[in-house]
Amino acid sequence: MKDSPIKEQVNLPNYRTRTPESYLQQIEPNILASFNTEQLQVIINILTQAIPQPSPKIVDFRFNIDLIFSRFYLVLFVGKDRRKRNRQYIPERLARIGNAIAVVMLLLGANLVISGVILLFAYLLKSAVGIDFFPGHISDSVKEL
């Protein structure tokens, strides 16, 4: 595409720091010079409206999970909903059921992890203090029962 009026996107800044001017710099200089001030201002206004503005988040939790066969990421945002429009589509019943199952599984998994950490902490604390509920080895206590 040598005849394209848009330059290659090799030197674009990070997505979060893009401005309308960074998009205008992609246009060939001779074509950019052919716009008058009014046209440029209209283009800048449209680009300003099109570039999403980040809203402050109460919780911005992001991390990657590296597995042997693949890599996954988890993102959790909590903040005020400032979107202007509702969804353009209504999710199908199967998608809503799948989302509900996924939420239940995530909550159960989080509950198991938190419970495990609490039990491990309690066990380590008990051991550090020197409390021994079953004197001797646990297998001896089980045999006595």
Side-chain angles (χ1 to χ4, degrees), residues 87-125:
R87 286 186 175 183
Q88 301 265 340
Y89 66 95
I90 297 172
E92 295 180 15
R93 186 169 191 241
L94 186 61
R96 288 191 309 237
I97 293 171
N99 288 342
I101 291 172
V103 166
V104 168
M105 296 299 286
L106 283 171
L107 289 174
L108 286 174
N111 188 2
L112 277 171
V113 168
I114 292 169
S115 298
V117 168
I118 290 171
L119 286 173
L120 177 65
F121 179 74
Y123 176 77
L124 291 174
L125 184 65

mmCIF file of all heavy atoms in Angstrom, residues 87-125:
data_model
loop_
_atom_site.group_PDB
_atom_site.id
_atom_site.type_symbol
_atom_site.label_atom_id
_atom_site.label_comp_id
_atom_site.label_asym_id
_atom_site.label_seq_id
_atom_site.Cartn_x
_atom_site.Cartn_y
_atom_site.Cartn_z
ATOM 1 N N ARG A 87 -26.016 -1.356 26.478
ATOM 2 C CA ARG A 87 -25.572 -2.290 25.455
ATOM 3 C C ARG A 87 -26.458 -2.200 24.222
ATOM 4 O O ARG A 87 -27.661 -2.023 24.322
ATOM 5 C CB ARG A 87 -25.623 -3.723 25.990
ATOM 6 C CG ARG A 87 -24.529 -4.025 26.964
ATOM 7 C CD ARG A 87 -24.595 -5.483 27.306
ATOM 8 N NE ARG A 87 -23.469 -5.826 28.148
ATOM 9 C CZ ARG A 87 -23.209 -7.044 28.564
ATOM 10 N NH1 ARG A 87 -23.999 -8.037 28.242
ATOM 11 N NH2 ARG A 87 -22.170 -7.280 29.322
ATOM 12 N N GLN A 88 -25.850 -2.384 23.077
ATOM 13 C CA GLN A 88 -26.587 -2.372 21.824
ATOM 14 C C GLN A 88 -27.357 -3.671 21.627
ATOM 15 O O GLN A 88 -28.249 -3.745 20.803
ATOM 16 C CB GLN A 88 -25.611 -2.187 20.662
ATOM 17 C CG GLN A 88 -24.820 -0.902 20.754
ATOM 18 C CD GLN A 88 -25.449 0.210 19.963
ATOM 19 O OE1 GLN A 88 -26.235 -0.040 19.078
ATOM 20 N NE2 GLN A 88 -25.133 1.434 20.304
ATOM 21 N N TYR A 89 -26.985 -4.692 22.372
ATOM 22 C CA TYR A 89 -27.639 -5.987 22.214
ATOM 23 C C TYR A 89 -27.965 -6.545 23.593
ATOM 24 O O TYR A 89 -27.349 -6.193 24.580
ATOM 25 C CB TYR A 89 -26.732 -6.958 21.459
ATOM 26 C CG TYR A 89 -25.476 -7.312 22.226
ATOM 27 C CD1 TYR A 89 -25.429 -8.455 23.001
ATOM 28 C CD2 TYR A 89 -24.351 -6.501 22.208
ATOM 29 C CE1 TYR A 89 -24.293 -8.776 23.732
ATOM 30 C CE2 TYR A 89 -23.220 -6.808 22.914
ATOM 31 C CZ TYR A 89 -23.203 -7.950 23.674
ATOM 32 O OH TYR A 89 -22.085 -8.261 24.385
ATOM 33 N N ILE A 90 -28.910 -7.430 23.624
ATOM 34 C CA ILE A 90 -29.262 -8.117 24.861
ATOM 35 C C ILE A 90 -28.628 -9.505 24.783
ATOM 36 O O ILE A 90 -28.851 -10.239 23.809
ATOM 37 C CB ILE A 90 -30.793 -8.223 25.011
ATOM 38 C CG1 ILE A 90 -31.388 -6.814 25.100
ATOM 39 C CG2 ILE A 90 -31.151 -9.044 26.231
ATOM 40 C CD1 ILE A 90 -32.898 -6.796 25.057
ATOM 41 N N PRO A 91 -27.813 -9.877 25.770
ATOM 42 C CA PRO A 91 -27.172 -11.194 25.715
ATOM 43 C C PRO A 91 -28.219 -12.313 25.676
ATOM 44 O O PRO A 91 -29.277 -12.221 26.293
ATOM 45 C CB PRO A 91 -26.364 -11.265 27.012
ATOM 46 C CG PRO A 91 -26.230 -9.870 27.471
ATOM 47 C CD PRO A 91 -27.411 -9.138 26.951
ATOM 48 N N GLU A 92 -27.893 -13.350 24.927
ATOM 49 C CA GLU A 92 -28.806 -14.483 24.831
ATOM 50 C C GLU A 92 -28.895 -15.196 26.171
ATOM 51 O O GLU A 92 -28.047 -15.038 27.045
ATOM 52 C CB GLU A 92 -28.306 -15.447 23.757
ATOM 53 C CG GLU A 92 -28.329 -14.849 22.368
ATOM 54 C CD GLU A 92 -27.836 -15.826 21.329
ATOM 55 O OE1 GLU A 92 -27.750 -17.043 21.626
ATOM 56 O OE2 GLU A 92 -27.541 -15.379 20.219
ATOM 57 N N ARG A 93 -29.929 -15.995 26.301
ATOM 58 C CA ARG A 93 -30.170 -16.696 27.562
ATOM 59 C C ARG A 93 -28.999 -17.606 27.927
ATOM 60 O O ARG A 93 -28.588 -17.670 29.081
ATOM 61 C CB ARG A 93 -31.465 -17.504 27.448
ATOM 62 C CG ARG A 93 -31.862 -18.140 28.750
ATOM 63 C CD ARG A 93 -33.277 -18.687 28.654
ATOM 64 N NE ARG A 93 -33.733 -19.059 29.967
ATOM 65 C CZ ARG A 93 -34.091 -20.285 30.301
ATOM 66 N NH1 ARG A 93 -34.085 -21.239 29.405
ATOM 67 N NH2 ARG A 93 -34.473 -20.556 31.536
ATOM 68 N N LEU A 94 -28.462 -18.295 26.929
ATOM 69 C CA LEU A 94 -27.336 -19.195 27.173
ATOM 70 C C LEU A 94 -26.117 -18.424 27.681
ATOM 71 O O LEU A 94 -25.421 -18.884 28.593
ATOM 72 C CB LEU A 94 -26.993 -19.964 25.894
ATOM 73 C CG LEU A 94 -25.938 -21.043 26.017
ATOM 74 C CD1 LEU A 94 -26.382 -22.114 27.009
ATOM 75 C CD2 LEU A 94 -25.660 -21.666 24.670
ATOM 76 N N ALA A 95 -25.874 -17.243 27.139
ATOM 77 C CA ALA A 95 -24.742 -16.424 27.590
ATOM 78 C C ALA A 95 -24.962 -15.953 29.023
ATOM 79 O O ALA A 95 -24.027 -15.930 29.826
ATOM 80 C CB ALA A 95 -24.549 -15.230 26.664
ATOM 81 N N ARG A 96 -26.191 -15.562 29.357
ATOM 82 C CA ARG A 96 -26.473 -15.133 30.736
ATOM 83 C C ARG A 96 -26.285 -16.278 31.711
ATOM 84 O O ARG A 96 -25.736 -16.100 32.801
ATOM 85 C CB ARG A 96 -27.892 -14.578 30.828
ATOM 86 C CG ARG A 96 -28.049 -13.235 30.158
ATOM 87 C CD ARG A 96 -29.375 -12.609 30.506
ATOM 88 N NE ARG A 96 -30.464 -13.521 30.268
ATOM 89 C CZ ARG A 96 -31.501 -13.314 29.483
ATOM 90 N NH1 ARG A 96 -31.580 -12.184 28.832
ATOM 91 N NH2 ARG A 96 -32.456 -14.206 29.341
ATOM 92 N N ILE A 97 -26.726 -17.492 31.332
ATOM 93 C CA ILE A 97 -26.544 -18.661 32.198
ATOM 94 C C ILE A 97 -25.058 -18.971 32.346
ATOM 95 O O ILE A 97 -24.574 -19.232 33.446
ATOM 96 C CB ILE A 97 -27.329 -19.868 31.646
ATOM 97 C CG1 ILE A 97 -28.828 -19.611 31.745
ATOM 98 C CG2 ILE A 97 -26.946 -21.148 32.381
ATOM 99 C CD1 ILE A 97 -29.685 -20.632 31.026
ATOM 100 N N GLY A 98 -24.324 -18.904 31.249
ATOM 101 C CA GLY A 98 -22.875 -19.137 31.306
ATOM 102 C C GLY A 98 -22.168 -18.120 32.177
ATOM 103 O O GLY A 98 -21.265 -18.461 32.946
ATOM 104 N N ASN A 99 -22.579 -16.858 32.078
ATOM 105 C CA ASN A 99 -21.980 -15.822 32.926
ATOM 106 C C ASN A 99 -22.292 -16.074 34.394
ATOM 107 O O ASN A 99 -21.426 -15.893 35.264
ATOM 108 C CB ASN A 99 -22.494 -14.442 32.514
ATOM 109 C CG ASN A 99 -21.927 -13.990 31.193
ATOM 110 O OD1 ASN A 99 -20.930 -14.508 30.716
ATOM 111 N ND2 ASN A 99 -22.586 -13.025 30.585
ATOM 112 N N ALA A 100 -23.529 -16.490 34.698
ATOM 113 C CA ALA A 100 -23.894 -16.775 36.089
ATOM 114 C C ALA A 100 -23.076 -17.945 36.630
ATOM 115 O O ALA A 100 -22.598 -17.908 37.767
ATOM 116 C CB ALA A 100 -25.389 -17.078 36.193
ATOM 117 N N ILE A 101 -22.897 -18.983 35.824
ATOM 118 C CA ILE A 101 -22.090 -20.140 36.249
ATOM 119 C C ILE A 101 -20.643 -19.709 36.480
ATOM 120 O O ILE A 101 -20.013 -20.111 37.470
ATOM 121 C CB ILE A 101 -22.195 -21.269 35.214
ATOM 122 C CG1 ILE A 101 -23.600 -21.868 35.231
ATOM 123 C CG2 ILE A 101 -21.144 -22.350 35.461
ATOM 124 C CD1 ILE A 101 -23.872 -22.855 34.109
ATOM 125 N N ALA A 102 -20.112 -18.878 35.585
ATOM 126 C CA ALA A 102 -18.727 -18.414 35.742
ATOM 127 C C ALA A 102 -18.567 -17.598 37.018
ATOM 128 O O ALA A 102 -17.576 -17.751 37.740
ATOM 129 C CB ALA A 102 -18.316 -17.584 34.521
ATOM 130 N N VAL A 103 -19.543 -16.745 37.324
ATOM 131 C CA VAL A 103 -19.470 -15.935 38.546
ATOM 132 C C VAL A 103 -19.492 -16.831 39.780
ATOM 133 O O VAL A 103 -18.707 -16.648 40.718
ATOM 134 C CB VAL A 103 -20.625 -14.912 38.587
ATOM 135 C CG1 VAL A 103 -20.779 -14.303 39.963
ATOM 136 C CG2 VAL A 103 -20.402 -13.831 37.559
ATOM 137 N N VAL A 104 -20.393 -17.832 39.786
ATOM 138 C CA VAL A 104 -20.478 -18.747 40.931
ATOM 139 C C VAL A 104 -19.159 -19.513 41.091
ATOM 140 O O VAL A 104 -18.649 -19.648 42.216
ATOM 141 C CB VAL A 104 -21.670 -19.709 40.772
ATOM 142 C CG1 VAL A 104 -21.610 -20.839 41.777
ATOM 143 C CG2 VAL A 104 -22.980 -18.953 40.906
ATOM 144 N N MET A 105 -18.600 -19.983 39.993
ATOM 145 C CA MET A 105 -17.334 -20.725 40.066
ATOM 146 C C MET A 105 -16.200 -19.821 40.569
ATOM 147 O O MET A 105 -15.376 -20.250 41.380
ATOM 148 C CB MET A 105 -16.977 -21.308 38.696
ATOM 149 C CG MET A 105 -17.969 -22.335 38.192
ATOM 150 S SD MET A 105 -18.105 -23.767 39.255
ATOM 151 C CE MET A 105 -16.602 -24.593 38.892
ATOM 152 N N LEU A 106 -16.159 -18.589 40.093
ATOM 153 C CA LEU A 106 -15.117 -17.664 40.563
ATOM 154 C C LEU A 106 -15.269 -17.354 42.047
ATOM 155 O O LEU A 106 -14.279 -17.307 42.781
ATOM 156 C CB LEU A 106 -15.153 -16.370 39.753
ATOM 157 C CG LEU A 106 -14.551 -16.430 38.356
ATOM 158 C CD1 LEU A 106 -14.852 -15.148 37.592
ATOM 159 C CD2 LEU A 106 -13.054 -16.657 38.428
ATOM 160 N N LEU A 107 -16.509 -17.154 42.488
ATOM 161 C CA LEU A 107 -16.725 -16.881 43.913
ATOM 162 C C LEU A 107 -16.373 -18.087 44.774
ATOM 163 O O LEU A 107 -15.760 -17.940 45.839
ATOM 164 C CB LEU A 107 -18.172 -16.452 44.155
ATOM 165 C CG LEU A 107 -18.538 -15.057 43.631
ATOM 166 C CD1 LEU A 107 -20.028 -14.805 43.798
ATOM 167 C CD2 LEU A 107 -17.728 -13.993 44.320
ATOM 168 N N LEU A 108 -16.750 -19.283 44.327
ATOM 169 C CA LEU A 108 -16.384 -20.492 45.082
ATOM 170 C C LEU A 108 -14.870 -20.681 45.110
ATOM 171 O O LEU A 108 -14.301 -21.019 46.161
ATOM 172 C CB LEU A 108 -17.058 -21.720 44.475
ATOM 173 C CG LEU A 108 -18.562 -21.866 44.733
ATOM 174 C CD1 LEU A 108 -19.121 -23.051 43.948
ATOM 175 C CD2 LEU A 108 -18.835 -22.037 46.204
ATOM 176 N N GLY A 109 -14.223 -20.464 43.978
ATOM 177 C CA GLY A 109 -12.761 -20.580 43.936
ATOM 178 C C GLY A 109 -12.076 -19.574 44.839
ATOM 179 O O GLY A 109 -11.142 -19.903 45.566
ATOM 180 N N ALA A 110 -12.560 -18.335 44.806
ATOM 181 C CA ALA A 110 -11.984 -17.313 45.682
ATOM 182 C C ALA A 110 -12.216 -17.660 47.145
ATOM 183 O O ALA A 110 -11.326 -17.486 47.987
ATOM 184 C CB ALA A 110 -12.595 -15.945 45.355
ATOM 185 N N ASN A 111 -13.396 -18.190 47.448
ATOM 186 C CA ASN A 111 -13.710 -18.598 48.821
ATOM 187 C C ASN A 111 -12.767 -19.715 49.269
ATOM 188 O O ASN A 111 -12.255 -19.694 50.393
ATOM 189 C CB ASN A 111 -15.165 -19.050 48.911
ATOM 190 C CG ASN A 111 -15.599 -19.310 50.333
ATOM 191 O OD1 ASN A 111 -14.834 -19.125 51.263
ATOM 192 N ND2 ASN A 111 -16.818 -19.749 50.492
ATOM 193 N N LEU A 112 -12.525 -20.698 48.406
ATOM 194 C CA LEU A 112 -11.610 -21.791 48.753
ATOM 195 C C LEU A 112 -10.196 -21.278 48.990
ATOM 196 O O LEU A 112 -9.531 -21.697 49.948
ATOM 197 C CB LEU A 112 -11.610 -22.843 47.647
ATOM 198 C CG LEU A 112 -12.724 -23.861 47.709
ATOM 199 C CD1 LEU A 112 -12.747 -24.708 46.446
ATOM 200 C CD2 LEU A 112 -12.547 -24.759 48.917
ATOM 201 N N VAL A 113 -9.733 -20.387 48.133
ATOM 202 C CA VAL A 113 -8.371 -19.858 48.288
ATOM 203 C C VAL A 113 -8.252 -19.073 49.590
ATOM 204 O O VAL A 113 -7.302 -19.258 50.366
ATOM 205 C CB VAL A 113 -7.988 -18.989 47.077
ATOM 206 C CG1 VAL A 113 -6.716 -18.210 47.335
ATOM 207 C CG2 VAL A 113 -7.840 -19.851 45.836
ATOM 208 N N ILE A 114 -9.206 -18.202 49.854
ATOM 209 C CA ILE A 114 -9.162 -17.398 51.083
ATOM 210 C C ILE A 114 -9.263 -18.290 52.318
ATOM 211 O O ILE A 114 -8.526 -18.109 53.293
ATOM 212 C CB ILE A 114 -10.271 -16.330 51.066
ATOM 213 C CG1 ILE A 114 -9.958 -15.299 49.986
ATOM 214 C CG2 ILE A 114 -10.425 -15.658 52.415
ATOM 215 C CD1 ILE A 114 -11.089 -14.343 49.700
ATOM 216 N N SER A 115 -10.153 -19.293 52.271
ATOM 217 C CA SER A 115 -10.281 -20.216 53.401
ATOM 218 C C SER A 115 -8.991 -20.995 53.624
ATOM 219 O O SER A 115 -8.558 -21.190 54.757
ATOM 220 C CB SER A 115 -11.437 -21.188 53.168
ATOM 221 O OG SER A 115 -12.661 -20.501 53.072
ATOM 222 N N GLY A 116 -8.370 -21.432 52.539
ATOM 223 C CA GLY A 116 -7.104 -22.161 52.654
ATOM 224 C C GLY A 116 -6.006 -21.311 53.254
ATOM 225 O O GLY A 116 -5.241 -21.772 54.109
ATOM 226 N N VAL A 117 -5.932 -20.055 52.846
ATOM 227 C CA VAL A 117 -4.912 -19.151 53.390
ATOM 228 C C VAL A 117 -5.164 -18.912 54.875
ATOM 229 O O VAL A 117 -4.221 -18.916 55.683
ATOM 230 C CB VAL A 117 -4.894 -17.826 52.593
ATOM 231 C CG1 VAL A 117 -4.082 -16.761 53.297
ATOM 232 C CG2 VAL A 117 -4.369 -18.067 51.196
ATOM 233 N N ILE A 118 -6.425 -18.730 55.256
ATOM 234 C CA ILE A 118 -6.749 -18.509 56.672
ATOM 235 C C ILE A 118 -6.396 -19.743 57.498
ATOM 236 O O ILE A 118 -5.799 -19.630 58.581
ATOM 237 C CB ILE A 118 -8.236 -18.133 56.841
ATOM 238 C CG1 ILE A 118 -8.474 -16.738 56.274
ATOM 239 C CG2 ILE A 118 -8.669 -18.202 58.297
ATOM 240 C CD1 ILE A 118 -9.925 -16.345 56.200
ATOM 241 N N LEU A 119 -6.748 -20.931 57.009
ATOM 242 C CA LEU A 119 -6.425 -22.156 57.748
ATOM 243 C C LEU A 119 -4.918 -22.370 57.851
ATOM 244 O O LEU A 119 -4.414 -22.777 58.906
ATOM 245 C CB LEU A 119 -7.089 -23.360 57.088
ATOM 246 C CG LEU A 119 -8.600 -23.470 57.299
ATOM 247 C CD1 LEU A 119 -9.164 -24.601 56.454
ATOM 248 C CD2 LEU A 119 -8.923 -23.682 58.762
ATOM 249 N N LEU A 120 -4.200 -22.108 56.766
ATOM 250 C CA LEU A 120 -2.742 -22.243 56.800
ATOM 251 C C LEU A 120 -2.138 -21.262 57.795
ATOM 252 O O LEU A 120 -1.261 -21.631 58.583
ATOM 253 C CB LEU A 120 -2.156 -22.017 55.404
ATOM 254 C CG LEU A 120 -0.642 -22.069 55.302
ATOM 255 C CD1 LEU A 120 -0.142 -23.479 55.619
ATOM 256 C CD2 LEU A 120 -0.188 -21.634 53.932
ATOM 257 N N PHE A 121 -2.609 -20.030 57.795
ATOM 258 C CA PHE A 121 -2.118 -19.033 58.734
ATOM 259 C C PHE A 121 -2.422 -19.455 60.175
ATOM 260 O O PHE A 121 -1.563 -19.328 61.051
ATOM 261 C CB PHE A 121 -2.743 -17.665 58.428
ATOM 262 C CG PHE A 121 -2.300 -16.593 59.365
ATOM 263 C CD1 PHE A 121 -1.027 -16.049 59.282
ATOM 264 C CD2 PHE A 121 -3.156 -16.132 60.363
ATOM 265 C CE1 PHE A 121 -0.618 -15.057 60.147
ATOM 266 C CE2 PHE A 121 -2.751 -15.145 61.241
ATOM 267 C CZ PHE A 121 -1.477 -14.598 61.134
ATOM 268 N N ALA A 122 -3.638 -19.958 60.419
ATOM 269 C CA ALA A 122 -4.005 -20.399 61.772
ATOM 270 C C ALA A 122 -3.132 -21.568 62.212
ATOM 271 O O ALA A 122 -2.682 -21.627 63.358
ATOM 272 C CB ALA A 122 -5.479 -20.785 61.817
ATOM 273 N N TYR A 123 -2.862 -22.500 61.294
ATOM 274 C CA TYR A 123 -2.018 -23.653 61.631
ATOM 275 C C TYR A 123 -0.594 -23.207 61.946
ATOM 276 O O TYR A 123 0.013 -23.666 62.921
ATOM 277 C CB TYR A 123 -2.024 -24.662 60.490
ATOM 278 C CG TYR A 123 -1.109 -25.825 60.727
ATOM 279 C CD1 TYR A 123 -1.477 -26.851 61.591
ATOM 280 C CD2 TYR A 123 0.140 -25.884 60.122
ATOM 281 C CE1 TYR A 123 -0.627 -27.916 61.839
ATOM 282 C CE2 TYR A 123 0.988 -26.945 60.357
ATOM 283 C CZ TYR A 123 0.601 -27.954 61.212
ATOM 284 O OH TYR A 123 1.448 -29.004 61.456
ATOM 285 N N LEU A 124 -0.054 -22.325 61.132
ATOM 286 C CA LEU A 124 1.307 -21.844 61.369
ATOM 287 C C LEU A 124 1.386 -21.039 62.664
ATOM 288 O O LEU A 124 2.369 -21.150 63.404
ATOM 289 C CB LEU A 124 1.783 -20.998 60.183
ATOM 290 C CG LEU A 124 2.017 -21.768 58.877
ATOM 291 C CD1 LEU A 124 2.342 -20.801 57.754
ATOM 292 C CD2 LEU A 124 3.109 -22.800 59.040
ATOM 293 N N LEU A 125 0.370 -20.254 62.937
ATOM 294 C CA LEU A 125 0.336 -19.499 64.176
ATOM 295 C C LEU A 125 0.261 -20.432 65.382
ATOM 296 O O LEU A 125 0.967 -20.242 66.374
ATOM 297 C CB LEU A 125 -0.858 -18.527 64.178
ATOM 298 C CG LEU A 125 -0.962 -17.595 65.376
ATOM 299 C CD1 LEU A 125 0.219 -16.630 65.394
ATOM 300 C CD2 LEU A 125 -2.274 -16.840 65.330
#
